């Protein structure tokens, strides 16, 4: 067991690293999805706007949009009304009972027809070349739904969209995008609405009541109309199976038309169209081109735009006057600058200590050449001024920090600090180190995939090494004191030491073995 | 911008005294451009004028403005929900860490109800001190290109300091088993690995997009689409979004370009805002001890922590200095006799050459050190870059495009090769540091285990 406070510090450090890592990965995942979509089959993706939206915004669930829901709501209201009107003409409502009727009463012919219808539809689906996409299958089966199962009703209006749009697949990608947009907007209101009325009336709470009353009279009409639908959709309207019997088949007919039309269309269109095939012939949309070149020009202007000398003097004058009012003269480094300097001092210190390490007598071997020895002497001598420079810098930093410290009353020590710092400035993560030059972004040229991958891998390695060193330092600070001889019980001690050894000396990757000598001797002399 | 009230205001009157002429009329335009160039909600010139007269109604607007701008600068998350109190505390502590030392500002009430003039002053100070405008324009820019950020800066300190704030909720847990740490550590390693795979995958996809679209981009330096651009071609919706963002960025940049020539007017005006008060405060400051009151909401624990860090660094440096001094002394002793012998052995000329050679080697070695000693080294590759693929075929395309239009502005660029070699150096250095630290620990832990007695440590096999 670890002492609570040090454990807490380390745990929070590690979890923080983990969270950061996860966050980065999520970003990366989103990017990957986007790249994947771009590289995938454009014919499939382009008209299917909801899918793409899901990818770009990280919407996990594929919910219908609010617009779509609103439309549905309106539809439902209209349908309710229609239902009320219709229920006045109970005698003429034959179709409602298809689903219910088949199982409630022994109307086998109807059931048979329904199944047949289904079969025909699915055959149709198989014939269309696009059907290999998973998305397409339910879509093209939709026409069958109203006859078979009324429960699908609410899904119909927006699910049918892609089916309506699909004929566009053969046109060029951009064109199809635009067209599909138009289609997407109009279809739920225009084409889909009226047809959907009849299937929707089939369901709902009222369904049960109505069906009980109607059943006996409904059935002949139903089978008739369904047969009609199966044979030819154009005939349907003229059949005299009652208002509603005719309404439903006409719906079927209309719905089936687009999918029938679409199948020859899809046959002529190329089956897939990917970036790889048409990448080099793509053109950026004109407005985009314009906007981006304008932006580039503005950035270039911005880069060249300098503060005029007069303005600079006026500004400096103001700053001087303002800083005169500061309490006590400001130190040469702000806290942030102190931190930056400190980081870089750390780097210098480490480099120097490495030099020293390679130059210690032990690493020279028995008889170093004179040249080598001279080199070492020169190096060490060269290090001395660098070292004293560093020390000077440290002293300056110390002064600066001390001067900042003096702004606080002497007694405001750590105690209350922890409680009030929830919103402190030190919770930020610096996005960049602010070294970016104002202007258009600099370019990084790469010439092969391998190069790019190596670059990214190294970048990550450097970042993780920074992190690891950081964690290592923190652990040293917290765990090494635990090794001091203390009142800890012997038993847990060994395992604690073992864990500490693993964490501190092996980066948590390998484990040492700790063997009790007593047991060892037991083992050795059986 | 066209608000006439500003022109007739006292502010304008003050301007007249200082600098008669066209500047009076320019002030609203300058402020208008200034606030247009900043992201987020606009602050009207009228509000600035109110702030000059320290009107309380302007103060809350300025707190909000400062909070939103500074959170962006610090890379934090802008929380609309943050209450005024925490917004005020945040702004104060950021100002403090940047070295703003005007006590009157820190004494402002935390409810944000007063002090618009102080806020105007601190805002202008930030504007100049950290190039607020330029930084924000850079941070909020639209990036339709594929970006690689090569930043080897150490962020150690930044992440370390967060740790104190975190996890009051884990207090209740109290003690933790060390195995929990091991588990977390393992998870982290695992996460890093899967991050690596994802990244490699992304490289692959990027490269595909780049190489497939080579020759289609109108811009001759790039010559290919980025993922975003390809998406824009494929999908008008995302293109529209992009266009909107670009539009707003353009207008901000335009405002910035408009602001630049008008800047002078603003700074003159700011001087009048500061007024004659400067002298008074100085005298006041000389007489009184300056202390930021505890009620200000700014705390000093960050100062303490940095002080600790400096102390540690100093100790290390001193120890190293002692060691070097000692080594130099020894080395000199052992060299002295040899030098004479060697000189005679080699002859004057040869000896000089040898000495020069050695000096050259050392000079090169130590130049590394100099490169290190500027924070975020200037000469290093560093920051975000726009990724450009220069495949085999792209070269011909490039020259083909370049002929009709000689490039006026050369966009600076680096090659992946140079970045890679830089990163490799970095990696070697850091790996060495980590190994060294582990080695030191190994000695310490080993000793401690010896101290246990009766326990034998068998270190894991080296790989």
């Amino acid at each position: 067991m670890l002492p609570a406070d040090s454990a807490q510090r380390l745990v929070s450090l590690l979890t923080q690293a983990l969270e950061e890592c996860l966050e980065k990965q999520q970003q990366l995942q989103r990017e990957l999805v986007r790249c994947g979509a771009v590289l995938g089959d454009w014919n499939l993706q382009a008209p299917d706007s909801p899918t793409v939206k899901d990818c770009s915004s990280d919407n996990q669930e594929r919910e219908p949009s609010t617009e779509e829901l609103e439309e549905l709501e309106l539809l439902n209201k209209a349908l309710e009304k229609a239902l009320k009107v219709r229920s006045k003409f109970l005698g003429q409502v034959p179709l409602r009972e298809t689903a219910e009727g088949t199982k409630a009463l022994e109307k086998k012919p109807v059931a048979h027809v329904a199944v047949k219808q289904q079969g025909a539809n699915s055959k149709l689906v198989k014939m269309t070349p696009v059907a290999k996409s998973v998305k397409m299958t339910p879509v093209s089966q939709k026409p069958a739904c109203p006859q078979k199962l009324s429960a699908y009703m609410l899904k119909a209006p927006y699910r049918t969209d892609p089916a309506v749009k699909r004929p566009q697949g053969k046109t060029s990608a951009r064109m199809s995008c635009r067209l599909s947009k138009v289609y997407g907007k109009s279809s739920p209101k225009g084409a889909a609405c009226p047809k959907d009325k009849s299937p929707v009336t089939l369901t709902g709470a009222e369904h049960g009541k109505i069906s009980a009353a109607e059943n006996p009279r409904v059935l002949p009409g139903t089978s008739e109309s369904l047969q009609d639908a199966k044979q030819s959709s154009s005939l349907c309207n003229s059949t005299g199976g009652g208002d509603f019997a005719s309404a439903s088949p006409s719906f079927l007919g209309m719905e089936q038309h687009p999918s029938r039309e679409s199948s020859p269309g899809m046959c002529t269109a190329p089956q897939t169209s990917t970036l790889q095939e048409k990448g080099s012939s793509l053109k950026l949309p004109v407005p985009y081109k314009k906007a981006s070149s304008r932006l580039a020009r503005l950035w270039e202007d911005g880069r060249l735009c300098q503060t005029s000398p007069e303005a600079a003097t006026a500004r400096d004058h103001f700053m001087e006057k303002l800083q005169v009012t500061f309490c006590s003269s400001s130190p040469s480094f702000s806290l942030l600058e102190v931190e930056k300097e400190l980081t870089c001092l750390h780097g210098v210190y480490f480099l120097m200590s490495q030099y020293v390490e390679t130059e210690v007598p032990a690493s020279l071997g028995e008889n170093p050449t004179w040249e080598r020895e001279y080199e070492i002497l020169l190096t060490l001598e060269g290090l001395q001024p660098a070292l004293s420079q560093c020390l000077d810098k440290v002293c300056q930093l110390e002064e600066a920090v001390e001067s900042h410290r003096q702004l606080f009353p002497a007694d405001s020590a750590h105690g209350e600090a922890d409680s009030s710092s929830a919103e402190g400035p030190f919770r930020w993560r610096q996005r960049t180190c602010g070294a970016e030059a104002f202007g258009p972004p600099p370019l990084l040229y790469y010439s092969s995939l391998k190069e790019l991958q190596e670059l990214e891998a190294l970048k990550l390695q450097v970042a993780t090494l920074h992190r690891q060193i950081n964690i290592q330092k923190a652990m040293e600070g917290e765990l090494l004191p635990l090794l001091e001889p203390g009142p800890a019980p012997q038993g847990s001690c060994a395992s604690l030491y073992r864990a500490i050894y693993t964490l501190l000396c092996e980066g948590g990757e390998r484990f040492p073995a700790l063997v009790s000598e007593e047991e060892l001797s037991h083992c050795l002399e059986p | 911008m066209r608000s006439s009230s500003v022109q007739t205001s006292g502010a304008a009157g003050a301007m007249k005294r200082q600098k008669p002429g066209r500047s009076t009329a320019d002030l609203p335009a300058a402020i208008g451009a200034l606030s247009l160039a900043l992201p987020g909600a606009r602050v009207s010139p009228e509000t600035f004028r109110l702030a000059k007269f320290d009107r309380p109604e302007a103060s809350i607007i300025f707190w909000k403005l400062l909070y939103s701008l500074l959170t962006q600068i610090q890379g934090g998350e802008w929380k609309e929900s943050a209450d005024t109190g925490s917004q005020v505390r945040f702004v104060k502590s950021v100002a403090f860490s940047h070295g703003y030392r005007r006590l009157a500002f820190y004494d402002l009430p935390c409810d944000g109800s007063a002090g618009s003039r102080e806020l105007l002053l601190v805002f202008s100070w930030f504007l100049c001190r950290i190039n607020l405008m330029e930084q924000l324009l850079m941070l909020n820019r639209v990036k339709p290109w594929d970006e690689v950020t090569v930043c080897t800066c150490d962020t150690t300190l930044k992440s370390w300091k967060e740790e104190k704030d975190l996890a009051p909720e884990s207090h209740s847990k109290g003690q933790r088993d060390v195995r929990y740490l091991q588990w977390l550590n393992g998870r982290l390693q695992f996460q890093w690995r899967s991050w690596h795979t994802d990244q490699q995958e992304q490289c692959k996809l990027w490269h595909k997009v780049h190489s497939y679209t080579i020759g289609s981009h109108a811009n001759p330096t790039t010559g290919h689409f980025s993922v975003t651009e390809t998406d824009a071609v494929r999908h008008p919706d995302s293109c529209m979004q992009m266009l909107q963002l670009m539009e707003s960025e353009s207008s901000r940049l335009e405002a910035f370009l408009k602001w630049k020539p008008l800047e002078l007017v603003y700074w003159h005006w700011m001087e009048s805002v500061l007024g004659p008060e400067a002298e008074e405060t100085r005298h006041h400051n000389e007489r009184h001890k300056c202390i930021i009151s505890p009620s200000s909401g700014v705390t000093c624990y960050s100062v303490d922590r940095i002080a600790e860090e400096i102390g540690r660094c100093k100790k290390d440096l001193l120890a190293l200095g002692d060691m070097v001094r000692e080594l130099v002394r020894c080395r000199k002793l052992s060299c002295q006799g040899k030098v004479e012998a060697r000189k005679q052995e080699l002859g004057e000329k040869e000896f000089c050459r040898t000495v020069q050679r050695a000096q050259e080697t050392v000079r090169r070695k130590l130049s590394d050190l100099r490169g290190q000693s500027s924070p975020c080294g200037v000469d290093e590759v560093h920051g975000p870059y726009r990724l450009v693929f220069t495949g085999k075929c792209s070269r011909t395309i490039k020259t083909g495009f370049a002929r009709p239009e000689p490039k006026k502005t050369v966009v600076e660029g680096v090659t992946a090769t140079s970045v890679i070699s830089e990163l490799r150096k970095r990696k070697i250095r850091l790996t060495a540091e980590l190994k060294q630290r582990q080695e030191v620990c190994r000695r310490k832990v080993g000793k401690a285990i010896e101290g246990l007695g009766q326990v034998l440590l068998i270190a894991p096999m080296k790989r």
Side-chain angles (χ1 to χ4, degrees):
Chain A
M1 281 294 171
L2 298 169
D5 53 339
S6 75
Q8 184 208 329
R9 278 193 290 270
L10 291 178
V11 166
S12 67
L13 187 69
L14 284 168
T15 33
Q16 188 204 323
L18 262 173
E19 271 164 24
E20 230 180 273
C21 189
L22 280 173
E23 198 184 297
K24 287 265 168 60
Q25 262 191 301
Q26 273 165 9
Q27 271 177 22
L28 209 56
Q29 285 292 347
R30 281 200 288 275
E31 258 312 292
L32 283 177
V33 170
R34 208 164 66 109
C35 292
V38 159
L39 285 166
D41 189 346
W42 285 28
N43 278 346
L44 286 184
Q45 305 271 359
D48 198 3
S49 52
T51 330
V52 180
K53 263 178 207 154
D54 278 346
C55 299
S56 51
S57 65
D58 54 333
N59 237 347
Q60 295 295 320
E61 291 163 53
R62 301 202 166 176
E63 296 278 320
S65 74
T66 45
E67 275 172 51
E68 285 170 326
L69 286 174
E70 265 168 34
E71 279 168 358
L72 263 184
E73 185 68 17
L74 285 174
L75 247 175
N76 276 347
K77 276 181 190 160
L79 293 172
E80 250 166 80
K81 229 179 235 173
L83 192 77
K84 270 182 204 158
V85 175
R86 276 173 208 179
S87 55
K88 289 175 187 165
F89 307 95
L90 276 183
Q92 287 164 308
V93 186
L95 188 66
R96 276 185 205 146
E97 277 337 297
T98 36
E100 194 99 350
T102 45
K103 68 169 185 252
L105 304 170
E106 62 294 352
K107 296 304 165 192
K108 268 154 194 162
V110 181
H112 185 63
V113 169
V115 171
K116 259 192 197 164
Q117 182 77 21
Q118 241 270 298
N121 254 309
S122 51
K123 249 176 234 161
L124 193 116
V125 165
K126 268 172 208 151
M127 285 185 307
T128 58
V130 242
K132 58 182 177 303
S133 113
V134 192
K135 269 170 254 156
M136 296 306 198
T137 343
V139 162
S140 33
Q141 272 178 347
K142 208 113 304 151
C145 297
Q147 312 151 305
K148 194 190 65 174
L149 258 188
S150 41
Y152 283 158
M153 64 127 182
L154 281 188
K155 289 177 180 167
Y158 71 89
R159 283 262 182 110
T160 46
D161 279 2
V164 182
K165 287 178 224 158
R166 195 138 20 89
Q168 253 47 60
K170 56 190 164 184
T171 52
S172 86
R174 228 189 323 152
M175 279 294 286
S176 79
C177 285
R178 275 186 202 146
L179 283 173
S180 78
K181 258 175 97 185
V182 175
Y183 260 81
K185 269 173 199 156
S186 63
S187 57
K189 288 175 218 146
C193 282
K195 315 171 229 157
D196 280 327
K197 275 183 187 172
S198 46
V200 178
T201 47
L202 296 178
T203 52
E206 296 98 321
H207 184 75
K209 304 180 236 160
I210 303 163
S211 66
E214 296 164 321
N215 274 336
R217 298 176 71 191
V218 156
L219 293 158
T222 314
S223 57
E224 213 180 322
S225 68
L226 278 173
Q227 225 124 25
D228 282 340
K230 200 180 118 198
Q231 283 153 8
S232 93
S233 49
S234 58
L235 268 170
C236 289
N237 281 329
S238 58
T239 39
D243 294 8
F244 291 99
S246 65
S248 167
S250 80
F251 156 71
L252 285 175
M254 281 168 75
E255 256 309 49
Q256 275 170 357
H257 271 311
S259 56
R260 271 178 197 166
E261 274 163 16
S262 77
S263 41
M266 294 313 287
C267 287
T268 53
Q271 295 207 349
T272 54
S273 161
T274 58
L275 187 62
Q276 185 166 18
E277 286 160 18
K278 55 183 182 183
S280 51
S281 60
L282 288 177
K283 287 279 166 290
L284 282 168
V286 178
Y288 175 90
K289 242 193 232 170
K290 269 190 193 150
S292 78
S293 68
R294 172 162 168 242
L295 204 52
R297 217 176 33 247
L298 282 171
W299 274 109
E300 194 53 44
D301 289 350
R303 190 174 67 93
L304 298 173
C305 186
Q306 298 287 326
T307 307
S308 68
E310 300 97 51
T313 17
R315 193 185 60 196
D316 294 345
H317 196 235
F318 161 72
M319 287 296 275
E320 249 168 56
K321 250 177 117 179
L322 177 64
Q323 283 172 0
V324 163
T325 70
F326 281 9
C327 58
S328 66
S329 60
S330 6
S332 33
F333 299 99
S334 73
L335 278 186
L336 282 176
E337 286 161 343
V338 169
E339 296 211 309
K340 269 192 177 158
E341 293 289 339
L342 206 54
T343 316
C344 113
L345 269 180
H346 170 80
V348 177
Y349 165 77
F350 177 73
L351 215 60
M352 289 196 292
S353 66
Q354 271 195 322
Y355 286 150
V356 174
E357 194 133 302
T358 52
E359 316 295 17
V360 287
S363 67
L364 283 178
E366 284 292 297
N367 266 323
T369 62
W370 175 82
E371 282 85 357
R372 181 84 185 96
E373 238 178 310
Y374 181 63
E375 226 180 84
I376 290 165
L377 180 61
L378 279 181
T379 313
L380 290 172
E381 277 180 340
L383 283 180
Q384 277 179 318
L387 259 169
S388 62
Q389 259 175 24
C390 285
L391 275 169
D392 282 351
K393 189 52 120 348
V394 168
C395 290
Q396 283 171 24
L397 298 182
E398 242 177 353
E399 249 169 56
V401 169
E402 183 47 34
S403 131
H404 288 297
R405 182 72 182 82
Q406 272 167 3
L407 288 180
F408 293 98
D411 53 335
S412 76
H414 309 272
E416 47 118 23
D418 293 72
S419 58
S420 59
S421 55
E423 201 55 39
F426 295 114
R427 292 211 55 179
W428 68 62
R429 266 161 284 150
Q430 204 89 4
R431 285 206 209 172
T432 59
C433 13
E436 261 177 286
F438 189 70
L443 306 177
L444 174 63
Y445 298 101
Y446 77 100
S447 61
S448 69
L449 172 61
K450 206 176 135 251
E451 211 175 55
L452 183 61
Q453 282 184 325
E454 186 179 4
L455 176 84
E456 286 286 347
L458 276 168
K459 218 181 80 186
L460 184 62
Q461 279 166 1
V462 168
T464 47
L465 274 167
H466 271 307
R467 219 5 141 176
Q468 268 177 308
I469 290 172
N470 172 16
I471 291 170
Q472 172 89 11
K473 273 191 216 161
M475 284 201 186
E476 280 170 24
E478 306 286 353
L479 297 180
L480 283 179
L482 301 181
L483 298 176
E484 306 286 320
Q490 183 78 19
S492 73
C493 219
S495 70
L496 178 67
Y497 280 28
R498 182 165 178 260
I500 290 179
Y501 186 96
T502 313
L503 283 172
L504 289 182
C505 317
E506 303 288 345
E509 285 169 12
R510 286 178 293 269
F511 301 86
L514 285 184
V515 186
S516 154
E517 272 174 14
E518 271 174 44
E519 282 169 31
L520 192 67
S521 51
H522 281 307
C523 292
L524 289 177
E525 38 178 280
Chain B
M1 252 192 269
R2 264 167 259 112
S3 140
S4 59
S5 62
V6 179
Q7 289 171 29
T8 55
S9 71
M15 285 295 314
K16 247 174 214 145
R17 255 174 277 125
Q18 270 193 353
K19 197 155 179 141
R22 66 176 205 118
S23 50
T24 343
D26 283 343
L27 182 62
I31 295 177
L34 166 65
S35 67
L36 266 179
L38 295 171
R42 272 196 65 199
V43 177
S44 70
E46 177 62 11
T47 315
F48 275 79
R49 193 185 70 82
L50 289 176
K52 174 175 176 171
F53 298 109
D54 206 16
R55 300 290 286 274
E57 59 264 41
S59 67
I60 200 81
I61 302 178
F62 267 96
W63 279 121
K64 277 228 169 73
L65 175 75
L66 280 166
Y67 177 72
S68 87
L69 299 183
L70 293 176
T71 37
Q72 289 177 50
I73 291 281
Q74 309 293 21
E77 240 163 78
W78 149 252
K79 284 180 234 139
E80 193 67 65
S81 58
D83 59 308
T84 313
S86 44
Q87 289 190 6
V88 168
R89 274 196 301 276
F90 177 82
V91 172
K92 279 183 181 174
S93 38
V94 174
F96 181 74
S97 65
H98 279 280
Y100 192 72
R101 309 186 121 213
R102 210 174 131 90
L103 284 186
F105 165 72
Y106 293 102
D107 288 340
L108 293 178
C110 273
D111 58 2
S113 60
S116 53
R117 189 166 148 277
E118 281 305 321
L119 290 169
L120 180 58
L121 288 174
V122 73
F123 169 76
S124 302
W125 184 81
F126 269 121
L127 211 56
C128 169
R129 180 66 202 250
I130 60 171
N131 287 329
L132 194 63
M133 242 189 213
E134 284 90 340
Q135 272 207 57
L136 286 169
L137 279 168
M138 293 293 281
L139 281 175
N140 292 311
R141 79 190 323 183
V142 191
K143 292 175 175 172
W145 50 81
D146 299 318
E147 188 184 72
V148 169
T149 306
V150 188
C151 176
T152 51
C153 286
D154 188 4
T155 50
T156 315
L157 287 166
K158 269 150 217 147
S159 40
W160 171 243
K161 70 196 156 200
E162 288 179 54
E163 145 267 334
K164 265 192 184 170
D165 306 339
L166 287 170
E169 75 278 3
S170 64
H171 261 306
S172 52
K173 299 255 162 123
Q175 292 197 325
R176 286 281 198 181
D177 198 294
V178 71
R179 275 172 298 187
Y180 183 60
L181 283 186
Q182 283 178 290
W183 177 76
L184 275 178
N185 196 50
R187 250 191 84 191
L188 189 59
Q189 305 276 350
F190 175 75
Q191 214 66 53
W192 277 333
R193 251 166 245 171
S194 79
W195 183 1
H196 171 81
T197 10
D198 282 354
Q199 217 176 30
Q200 295 292 303
E201 181 64 24
Q202 195 197 25
C203 289
K204 242 184 248 166
L205 298 183
W206 265 348
H207 177 252
K208 266 188 190 165
V209 172
H210 295 170
S211 57
Y212 291 166
T213 57
I214 260 187
S216 48
H217 203 290
N219 182 347
T221 39
T222 341
H224 61 75
F225 287 171
S226 67
V227 176
T228 314
E229 283 167 338
T230 320
D231 206 36
V233 174
R234 192 182 65 117
H235 207 74
D237 274 357
S238 70
C239 187
M240 286 310 289
Q241 243 177 343
M242 207 68 204
L243 280 177
Q244 269 167 15
L245 290 174
M246 285 169 134
E247 195 50 50
S248 79
E249 186 177 310
S250 295
S251 63
R252 258 181 287 137
L253 272 170
E254 265 164 4
F256 172 77
L257 291 172
K258 215 154 98 195
W259 150 261
K260 273 284 166 184
L262 293 174
E263 209 182 352
L264 175 69
V265 188
Y266 180 81
W267 294 114
H268 276 311
W269 180 70
M270 273 316 293
E271 223 173 289
S272 77
V273 171
L274 192 57
E277 162 237 24
E279 284 303 299
E280 286 165 38
T281 344
R282 180 159 54 180
H283 291 309
H284 175 86
N285 283 343
E286 274 161 13
R287 267 177 283 124
H288 297 271
K289 196 170 178 338
C290 331
I291 276 172
I292 293 179
S293 75
S295 61
S296 68
V298 184
T299 54
C300 66
Y301 92 85
S302 56
V303 186
D304 290 340
R305 193 195 44 75
I306 293 173
E308 271 171 41
E309 198 84 29
I310 291 178
R312 233 172 295 158
C313 184
K314 191 177 183 181
K315 213 178 86 198
D316 288 346
L317 280 169
L318 284 173
L320 190 66
D322 285 345
M323 193 172 170
V324 170
R325 210 170 303 122
E326 182 60 26
L327 282 173
V328 167
R329 204 179 54 80
C330 297
R331 201 72 17 222
K332 266 195 179 143
L333 278 180
S334 81
C335 264
Q336 245 158 22
K338 289 182 195 170
V339 169
E340 280 309 309
R342 192 72 177 157
K343 208 171 178 177
Q344 274 159 21
E345 194 184 308
L346 284 175
E348 190 80 25
K349 222 176 187 177
E350 184 60 24
F351 178 75
C352 278
R353 209 171 298 143
T354 321
V355 167
Q356 268 172 0
R357 214 168 28 234
Q359 278 169 345
E360 181 55 28
T361 324
V362 172
R363 200 185 54 74
R364 241 179 299 135
K365 207 192 267 178
L366 291 179
S367 72
D368 262 4
L369 211 56
R370 241 161 280 131
Q372 265 290 313
S373 49
S374 59
C376 285
V378 190
D379 46 339
E380 283 166 38
V381 278
H382 175 87
Y385 288 88
R386 174 179 183 168
L387 201 58
V388 176
F389 175 56
T390 57
K392 293 140 234 152
C393 42
S394 75
R395 293 215 182 278
T396 52
I397 289 160
K398 236 167 142 184
T399 48
F401 268 106
R403 237 178 290 126
E405 188 193 31
K407 268 201 291 172
K408 272 173 264 169
T409 54
V410 180
V411 185
E412 52 183 320
V414 289
T415 58
T417 351
S418 66
V419 177
I420 286 174
S421 73
E422 185 68 39
L423 285 172
R424 270 210 196 106
K425 259 192 251 165
R426 263 306 151 123
K427 185 190 155 190
I428 291 168
R429 185 173 84 68
L430 290 170
T431 320
E433 180 172 353
L434 185 63
K435 284 268 138 29
Q436 191 187 345
R437 283 191 167 275
Q438 288 178 343
E439 207 47 55
V440 172
C441 285
R442 193 165 289 139
R443 279 200 291 274
K444 283 183 185 161
V445 180
K447 208 176 273 171
I449 290 179
E450 258 170 47
L452 280 179
Q454 311 245 306
V455 176
L456 196 67
L457 172 82
I458 305 170
M461 297 265 279
K462 283 256 156 87
R463 262 189 281 171

